[in-house]
Amino acid sequence: MSIETPKSSEIKRLTAPLTFKQSKAYDSSGNLVKCSETLSDVRLIIEPREGILSDDEILQYAPLSKAASKVRLKRGFGDSQDILLINESLPWIVGLFYVVLICVSVPFVFARNVPAMVVLLILFIVPLTYLYRIFRVGRYTKTVEAKQKPVSDKTPQKNSEAEINYDDKISSLEVHEKEINNLKIIFDVKNRAVRDLIKKRFEPPQLTYDRFISIIDKSEKLFNAQVESALSIIDLAVEDTPRIQNEIADKINVMKRIINQIEDLTNELVINISSSEESSDEVKNLLEDMENLTGSVKDY
């Protein structure tokens, strides 16, 4: 029996479907999920807890979160949408400020009060300079660079070429192993969710329920076989060759396809949960796709 670590628990929380009660959204831990609103978008995003996931894991498991926006800006490839997300109240504050300022300035403009108009002009310009500073992407990367420790002048002792290559190979295999373990966590969460929805949509005993569960069982068997096979290759590999990389990549692609199809099926079941069975053509098509996938992958 595997022990659930804080990291695996957090990944499950981020990838599990939201639940809705009385028009409010909650994550799998029962925490209220706040609505994040920008000028062009309204989102229900689960924010990762601090100090648990690495930056790469935040980008992978919570790409739409504020934390992911901060990571993208820190790394220099964020955009104005990321800035708006982490400063979501800024447009409303600035908009309200200018509305009030325009209302106040109208009497002074008509009265041609020059000193007051100069003051008002300054007040108009100040927020613009602040906005320019906020929306300059470069300021986020410079802040990170300033916090980094200076590089030591001492040149580290170099290992032999064979040792360096060996370390690189081991590191590459460890990356694959980490990705596989994370995919297993995501699959387990989505597998439980789709089974619950199938039971709710097609209450047993029904032939439709039996068919759905049979395909999900085959998908689970296929997924676990790909996991075990990939991890065995990693454990037994003496060196990291292109052939080994291709074998592992193929198995990871199958895992991702299974997860994507289960996620599509889950979304379609949520949409059709209150519909009649005759209106579930899209669900049945997705089920056939999963049958084709499990039938097309050999050696499992």
Side-chain angles (χ1 to χ4, degrees):
M1 181 178 179
S2 60
I3 300 175
E4 190 172 87
T5 64
K7 179 175 288 189
S8 64
S9 176
E10 179 68 358
I11 292 173
K12 286 183 179 180
R13 188 180 71 88
L14 293 172
T15 55
L18 296 175
T19 56
F20 294 87
K21 297 178 183 178
Q22 299 178 348
S23 302
K24 293 183 179 179
Y26 299 86
D27 62 19
S28 60
S29 300
N31 301 315
L32 180 66
V33 178
K34 295 182 179 179
C35 177
S36 179
E37 184 175 359
T38 64
L39 289 174
S40 60
D41 196 9
V42 178
R43 302 177 182 176
L44 286 170
I45 303 298
I46 305 176
E47 287 292 333
R49 298 188 181 101
E50 293 184 5
I52 298 179
L53 302 181
S54 66
D55 286 352
D56 289 331
E57 289 166 339
I58 289 173
L59 291 176
Q60 181 176 358
Y61 299 112
L64 301 179
S65 65
K66 293 182 182 179
S69 291
K70 292 177 182 178
V71 172
R72 284 191 288 269
L73 290 169
K74 181 173 68 174
R75 293 185 173 182
F77 59 88
D79 55 21
S80 59
Q81 291 296 323
D82 292 313
I83 296 172
L84 279 174
L85 184 60
I86 62 177
N87 298 280
E88 57 182 328
S89 61
L90 185 62
W92 311 109
I93 294 173
V94 173
L96 180 61
F97 173 82
Y98 277 114
V99 168
V100 173
L101 190 60
I102 290 171
C103 293
V104 171
S105 64
V106 170
F108 294 102
V109 172
F110 280 105
R112 295 186 180 181
N113 188 326
V114 176
M117 290 172 65
V118 172
V119 173
L120 290 170
L121 180 61
I122 294 172
L123 291 176
F124 267 100
I125 295 174
V126 169
L128 295 177
T129 58
Y130 177 73
L131 288 173
Y132 171 76
R133 180 175 175 273
I134 289 293
F135 280 88
R136 222 165 26 92
V137 176
R139 70 182 288 267
Y140 298 93
T141 56
K142 287 180 181 178
T143 303
V144 176
E145 290 171 359
K147 292 181 180 179
Q148 291 178 344
K149 294 181 180 180
V151 180
S152 174
D153 293 335
K154 295 181 179 179
T155 304
Q157 186 177 359
K158 294 184 178 180
N159 297 325
S160 66
E161 184 178 353
E163 289 175 337
I164 292 174
N165 290 339
Y166 178 76
D167 289 342
D168 289 342
K169 291 168 185 174
I170 295 300
S171 176
S172 176
L173 292 176
E174 286 176 350
V175 169
H176 286 308
E177 183 177 9
K178 184 177 180 182
E179 182 180 7
I180 292 168
N181 289 331
N182 289 339
L183 288 172
K184 182 70 168 68
I185 293 171
I186 294 174
F187 175 81
D188 289 341
V189 173
K190 296 187 181 296
N191 185 41
R192 287 196 298 269
V194 76
R195 287 177 183 273
D196 290 341
L197 286 171
I198 290 171
K199 186 175 181 180
K200 184 180 293 186
R201 179 64 178 84
F202 309 102
E203 291 187 10
Q206 286 188 42
L207 291 177
T208 307
Y209 171 84
D210 293 339
R211 183 189 175 207
F212 269 73
I213 291 300
S214 174
I215 296 302
I216 297 301
D217 287 341
K218 289 179 182 178
S219 298
E220 183 177 5
K221 181 181 177 181
L222 173 58
F223 185 91
N224 290 332
Q226 299 300 307
V227 170
E228 292 174 7
S229 178
L231 292 178
S232 295
I233 293 173
I234 292 172
D235 290 338
L236 298 174
V238 178
E239 58 180 350
D240 188 5
T241 64
R243 182 180 177 185
I244 288 177
Q245 285 284 350
N246 291 334
E247 286 289 330
I248 295 174
D250 288 343
K251 296 183 183 302
I252 288 176
N253 286 335
V254 173
M255 296 177 210
K256 290 180 177 178
R257 286 176 62 193
I258 294 172
I259 289 173
N260 290 337
Q261 289 193 338
I262 287 182
E263 186 171 8
D264 290 342
L265 181 60
T266 300
N267 293 335
E268 201 60 42
L269 284 169
V270 169
I271 294 171
N272 290 281
I273 200 71
S274 59
S275 304
S276 63
E277 187 174 348
E278 289 75 14
S279 64
S280 303
D281 291 339
E282 189 64 30
V283 176
K284 293 177 181 178
N285 291 336
L286 287 168
L287 192 65
E288 290 174 1
D289 290 341
M290 294 183 70
E291 284 184 303
N292 294 334
L293 174 61
T294 56
S296 63
V297 180
K298 306 298 181 183
D299 301 324
Y300 67 91

